[in-house]
Amino acid sequence: MNRKCIELRADTMEHGGNLHDAKARFPKAPEPWIDLSTGINPRAYPVPPLDPEIFHRLPSPQQVRACERIAAQAYGVGDPECLVAAAGSQALIGLLPRLRPPGRVAIIGPTYSEHELSWSRHGHRVLSMADLDAALAAQADVIVVVNPNNPDGRVIPSQRLADAAQLLATRGGWLVIDEAFADLEPGHSVAGGSLANTIVLRSVGKAYGLAGLRLGFAVAWPAQAQAIRDNLGPWAVSGPALALGSQALADQAWLSAERSRLSRASHRLDALLHRAGFELIGGTCLFRLARHEVAAQYFERLAGCGIWVRSFAFDPALLRFGIPKEEEWNRLEKAISD
């Protein structure tokens, strides 16, 4: 797939999933809306009946540790003590800047804007860098990489990340790797690699379609993992999230089947966009970024049909498409082809 360089400032990025705004802007659009503005699996992990006691009692430390052990096995982490559960990877993105004194933070972009906002909010000087080499040359104290990247799916090879981690470790720096989209791209994960001075963030919301569950994990070396755990405090994750997350993460057969299904669906989306004249820029199994000279007109047409995709104020020629549910394909194909 052809990937072109995209210039972007974090303050121009918006989040997907804002259907309230979509409905207000396009009140005559047919219901139900099809939300393709997020990179979330449209087929969620099946939620089983949960014991009512889970909602009644505070989660015990033993329940937390049990969930962390299952997550460690799912991510290939040898020592569960190096893995910390949190209320979504977003909670960890907000926490990490508080664990270091203000310094220079290089973020490989364009990428998920909350990284830049969180480090800036806590007094760090944030440098937006085009690639890993530039970030290393900038002598940053912390380098942040989203891998695979959002919104373009860019991947930095594991060996390059390992080399960068080693260099940062010699000067007390950190490498932060956000692997929110790595469940469906397992060959790119370094969560089980025990890289020096590296913190890997994982999310249950994307691949498992459980964004509302708010469950994520940090994988770090033991001392830093303990610092994260201490700063999160007790009961950082709800009992229902621990119970359902444990079951989902242990179900590798379900994840493997979803990986194959979503791979086929993403190729189907590629073909649809190609027929409409879009140029594919990049993506993952959960989203595609594409360019079209009349992308703004496609955005308006799709929204008028009750289909919400991601547009970008910094470049009106770009649109990002999530994967539709099986019953939504006909509406999407008709809206794009008409």
Side-chain angles (χ1 to χ4, degrees):
M1 183 178 296
N2 181 33
R3 288 185 171 88
K4 291 190 173 180
C5 179
I6 306 169
E7 295 184 0
L8 173 62
R9 297 192 326 272
D11 60 4
T12 67
M13 292 287 286
E14 298 177 355
H15 298 298
N18 51 341
L19 277 186
H20 179 83
D21 293 345
K23 293 177 181 180
R25 183 173 170 185
F26 298 92
K28 296 182 180 180
E31 298 272 0
W33 276 80
I34 297 174
D35 186 7
L36 305 183
S37 68
T38 69
I40 297 170
N41 188 346
R43 183 156 68 181
Y45 185 81
V47 179
L50 298 177
D51 185 345
E53 282 294 303
I54 294 176
F55 297 88
H56 177 64
R57 297 183 180 280
L58 289 170
S60 69
Q62 291 75 18
Q63 288 173 301
V64 176
R65 298 294 179 267
C67 181
E68 290 174 343
R69 284 194 297 271
I70 292 171
Q73 184 173 7
Y75 300 146
V77 179
D79 183 1
E81 290 299 313
C82 294
L83 187 144
V84 186
S89 57
Q90 180 59 49
L92 296 162
I93 291 171
L95 170 64
L96 293 183
R98 306 205 311 261
L99 302 184
R100 285 187 68 100
R104 293 161 58 87
V105 178
I107 298 178
I108 313 301
T111 196
Y112 182 53
S113 60
E114 289 295 329
H115 288 287
E116 181 172 340
L117 294 173
S118 294
W119 288 96
S120 297
R121 188 178 295 124
H122 290 90
H124 298 268
R125 181 188 175 193
V126 175
L127 312 170
S128 297
M129 312 302 293
D131 54 46
L132 186 56
D133 289 335
L136 290 168
Q139 295 293 305
D141 303 299
V142 177
I143 295 178
V144 179
V145 177
V146 180
N147 208 53
N149 190 47
N150 173 20
D152 62 0
R154 176 208 65 224
V155 171
I156 298 177
S158 299
Q159 187 57 54
R160 289 283 297 115
L161 294 172
D163 293 342
Q166 188 62 40
L167 181 58
L168 282 166
T170 63
R171 58 180 188 242
W174 290 0
L175 178 63
V176 177
I177 306 174
D178 184 341
E179 292 188 349
F181 291 98
D183 292 87
L184 300 170
E185 318 278 344
H188 302 310
S189 175
V190 299
S194 302
L195 300 184
N197 284 32
T198 299
I199 302 172
V200 178
L201 307 181
R202 296 297 294 252
S203 170
V204 172
K206 302 294 192 300
Y208 292 89
L210 297 172
L213 193 66
R214 308 315 304 140
L215 178 63
F217 300 91
V219 182
W221 66 103
Q224 195 58 44
Q226 189 59 50
I228 293 171
R229 188 174 286 112
D230 291 343
N231 277 269
L232 286 172
W235 312 303
V237 181
S238 73
L242 293 170
L244 181 53
S246 295
Q247 180 167 328
L249 287 164
D251 195 345
Q252 291 299 299
W254 183 90
L255 184 63
S256 178
E258 284 302 289
R259 188 179 293 123
S260 298
R261 184 186 70 83
L262 288 166
S263 178
R264 294 191 298 270
S266 62
H267 290 305
R268 180 179 178 180
L269 180 57
D270 289 346
L272 174 61
L273 295 174
H274 180 73
R275 290 195 299 269
F278 280 89
E279 176 192 6
L280 296 173
I281 303 300
T284 71
C285 288
L286 290 173
F287 62 82
R288 291 302 205 236
L289 183 69
R291 183 186 301 277
H292 202 296
E293 60 182 4
V294 292
Q297 295 176 37
Y298 271 102
F299 177 83
E300 294 286 328
R301 178 196 299 176
L302 290 168
C305 294
I307 301 172
W308 195 233
V309 299
R310 278 289 299 277
S311 63
F312 298 90
F314 76 96
D315 188 343
L318 289 176
L319 292 178
R320 199 192 73 178
F321 294 78
I323 304 297
K325 298 177 181 178
E326 191 59 39
E327 64 271 20
E328 296 171 343
W329 276 104
N330 287 341
R331 274 180 67 187
L332 175 62
E333 290 169 343
K334 186 176 188 303
I336 287 183
S337 303
D338 280 349

